[in-house]
Amino acid sequence: MATQNGGMTLEEALAAPGEKVQISGKELRPDGRALLIYSVGDEGARQLARTRLPEAEHAAKVAELKAQGLRIAETDFKSGVIWVRTDGGIEVYDDKKKLLDAAGDRATLAGGKVVARADVALVFSYAEGREDRGIKATLGSGEQVDLVHAFDLSAEEDPTYNRNQLISDTTWCSAVGQAIARWAGVSFENRI
């Protein structure tokens, strides 16, 4: 099976070493729905394969890959942030590193800092200026900690960039923030 954009075939991606996840495109086009395979790890997420399949084939392939152990991941494609909802929490990646691993009684942040789930009092999304965005937690002590941070230079370089674009470009903050809040058992606020 050929892929688009010169990537691996699905079969080659599945045979590649390391942990892999699958992402389905949301848009159904006449040539089918996108199915992507990413490798994920401490070095971040990297797209291995991308193809389009007719809807019936797409659903069957997703089920087959899930049965083979490929977890389902999500992204909004604009941000470069990929997240995997797990039974006990959430993992978040960009193309350079694992940004967050929230599971059990703690969250491990990029750089190795650990935040205890019991210390999290509130989770909220934020945007500072046009290019800084992410998710923070307010701890019981009142301290605010960056859980997931992204920096989008394209927003700063575009003089026509506006609030509507910022809201569109940060939908991932709400999805990821809500999943982190569910893991922590606290409220989530969208402050963008």
Side-chain angles (χ1 to χ4, degrees), residues 126-134 149-152 155 166 170 192:
Y126 71 93
E128 295 171 358
R130 296 189 294 185
E131 63 282 337
D132 263 336
R133 64 269 319 255
H149 176 257
F151 192 80
D152 185 354
L166 175 66
T170 57
I192 298 176

Side-chain angles (χ1 to χ4, degrees), residues 80-143:
V81 175
I82 292 172
W83 59 96
V84 182
R85 297 172 199 258
T86 64
D87 289 338
I90 183 170
E91 298 169 10
V92 184
Y93 304 86
D94 68 10
D95 63 346
K96 296 178 184 63
K97 62 188 168 282
K98 183 184 253 187
L99 300 171
L100 173 86
D101 187 355
D105 63 352
R106 66 187 192 157
T108 304
L109 314 180
K113 181 175 180 161
V114 174
V115 175
R117 180 171 61 184
D119 290 343
V120 177
L122 174 73
V123 175
F124 62 93
S125 60
Y126 71 93
E128 295 171 358
R130 296 189 294 185
E131 63 282 337
D132 263 336
R133 64 269 319 255
I135 299 109
K136 291 185 182 189
T138 301
L139 304 182
S141 66
E143 175 187 7

Side-chain angles (χ1 to χ4, degrees), residues 1 4 27-29 31-35 50-54:
M1 176 182 296
Q4 300 172 353
E27 178 186 6
L28 178 59
R29 298 189 336 197
D31 58 344
R33 186 180 307 276
L35 179 61
R50 176 187 184 120
T51 193
R52 285 197 175 273
L53 298 168

Side-chain angles (χ1 to χ4, degrees), residues 3-184:
T3 64
Q4 300 172 353
N5 303 327
M8 296 179 181
T9 64
L10 290 181
E11 292 77 15
E12 291 167 336
L14 295 172
E19 184 179 358
K20 292 168 280 297
V21 297
Q22 59 176 309
I23 298 176
S24 291
K26 303 230 184 289
E27 178 186 6
L28 178 59
R29 298 189 336 197
D31 58 344
R33 186 180 307 276
L35 179 61
L36 300 89
I37 305 295
Y38 278 77
S39 67
V40 293
D42 291 338
E43 300 79 31
R46 184 172 62 92
Q47 184 180 314
L48 300 177
R50 176 187 184 120
T51 193
R52 285 197 175 273
L53 298 168
E55 187 63 17
E57 288 179 41
H58 180 274
K61 182 55 90 171
V62 166
E64 175 188 326
L65 294 174
K66 190 172 181 183
Q68 292 176 18
L70 267 75
R71 299 179 298 159
I72 295 175
E74 299 172 69
T75 186
D76 71 356
F77 292 106
K78 293 177 279 188
S79 69
V81 175
I82 292 172
W83 59 96
V84 182
R85 297 172 199 258
T86 64
D87 289 338
I90 183 170
E91 298 169 10
V92 184
Y93 304 86
D94 68 10
D95 63 346
K96 296 178 184 63
K97 62 188 168 282
K98 183 184 253 187
L99 300 171
L100 173 86
D101 187 355
D105 63 352
R106 66 187 192 157
T108 304
L109 314 180
K113 181 175 180 161
V114 174
V115 175
R117 180 171 61 184
D119 290 343
V120 177
L122 174 73
V123 175
F124 62 93
S125 60
Y126 71 93
E128 295 171 358
R130 296 189 294 185
E131 63 282 337
D132 263 336
R133 64 269 319 255
I135 299 109
K136 291 185 182 189
T138 301
L139 304 182
S141 66
E143 175 187 7
Q144 290 186 348
V145 177
D146 259 315
L147 299 176
V148 179
H149 176 257
F151 192 80
D152 185 354
L153 278 177
S154 64
E156 182 171 308
E157 294 171 355
D158 181 355
T160 64
Y161 195 83
N162 62 38
R163 174 112 177 108
N164 289 340
Q165 288 169 294
L166 175 66
I167 291 169
S168 175
D169 290 348
T170 57
T171 57
W172 68 271
C173 294
S174 183
V176 171
Q178 289 176 38
I180 295 169
R182 271 192 297 281
W183 161 79

